[in-house]
Amino acid sequence: MPPPNMNTPLTRLSSFLLVSVLVGLAGCTMQHTEPADFTAEVAVAGLTLAEECGAGRLSDPGIAAGDCAPEATDCSLPCTQSNITLLLTADADRPLSFEIVRATLINSEGLELMELSTHNPQSYDGVSSYAAWDETVPTPTEGMNLMYDLSGIDWSGVDEPWSATYKVRLTIEIDGETFTATSTETARQAPIVT
């Protein structure tokens, strides 16, 4: 008996279906990701929309102008730095990496007004102050207080910047997993007048 003709329509269709199924299964396998082996929750605890102080201005209005850092360029006026504080709870069998990958200022209707940058990560020392933080989360941790300075707020392009309220939305990566946290609405803080 001669071998079947591989060019018959039925044989070609069977071969095509077999290849399609194998490619489809390979595609599903490549897209499968393991669930995270840790739990984490992050929430915005506070937001201050004020100024961008930089290294040359005082951040504490109680400090005398002559007490500035040697590299300061303008210590004549006190300044309140725009910042955002977070509350983090995480559980894992190892330390976790933490990074804010995107920050946006949004209006009360949820419309994005501008992209912001975050810098100067700090964590609360549990006693009285915030200190520099390397963005490594010790685990398990519950109620870890974090603070980041915000910059890039350009009020010149915002209608009625003093009377409206705003939120900041953060996209955060914790050990490669993405989380979103949004502040409650807050108004722009008026500059300190001395």
Side-chain angles (χ1 to χ4, degrees):
M1 180 173 198
N5 183 352
M6 296 303 287
N7 290 323
T8 64
L10 185 56
T11 306
R12 284 191 307 239
L13 179 61
S14 299
S15 299
F16 174 76
L17 288 175
L18 178 61
V19 170
S20 296
V21 168
L22 290 175
V23 169
L25 288 175
C28 290
T29 303
M30 292 187 307
Q31 293 176 357
H32 177 71
T33 58
E34 293 296 322
D37 61 348
F38 66 90
T39 59
E41 291 181 16
V42 62
V44 176
L47 173 64
T48 300
L49 296 176
E51 300 173 85
E52 206 167 310
C53 298
R57 299 204 33 213
L58 298 174
S59 58
D60 183 351
I63 297 175
D67 291 342
C68 335
E71 70 275 5
T73 56
D74 177 11
C75 292
S76 59
L77 297 174
C79 181
T80 300
Q81 174 65 50
S82 296
N83 63 57
I84 191 161
T85 54
L86 307 171
L87 193 61
L88 173 66
T89 296
D91 189 14
D93 60 0
R94 66 187 187 285
L96 303 172
S97 62
F98 185 98
E99 181 185 8
I100 297 176
V101 294
R102 188 166 191 253
T104 53
L105 182 71
I106 57 178
N107 65 16
S108 57
E109 288 81 37
L111 177 68
E112 284 189 11
L113 300 176
M114 64 192 75
E115 195 153 337
L116 308 176
S117 60
T118 59
H119 51 95
N120 191 25
Q122 300 175 65
S123 66
Y124 188 68
D125 66 7
V127 180
S128 62
S129 63
Y130 283 88
W133 176 54
D134 67 358
E135 298 186 299
T136 300
V137 180
T139 60
T141 187
E142 186 171 346
M144 185 176 182
N145 290 285
L146 309 172
M147 182 168 62
Y148 284 80
D149 290 345
L150 294 172
S151 59
I153 302 175
D154 180 9
W155 295 113
S156 65
V158 178
D159 293 334
E160 302 179 32
W162 295 107
S163 60
T165 56
Y166 309 92
K167 298 179 186 179
V168 170
R169 180 180 297 134
L170 303 177
T171 303
I172 299 162
E173 281 190 5
I174 302 175
D175 226 49
E177 295 291 319
T178 302
F179 296 79
T180 301
T182 304
S183 72
T184 57
E185 289 185 28
T186 190
R188 179 183 178 190
Q189 184 173 319
I192 297 169
V193 178
T194 57

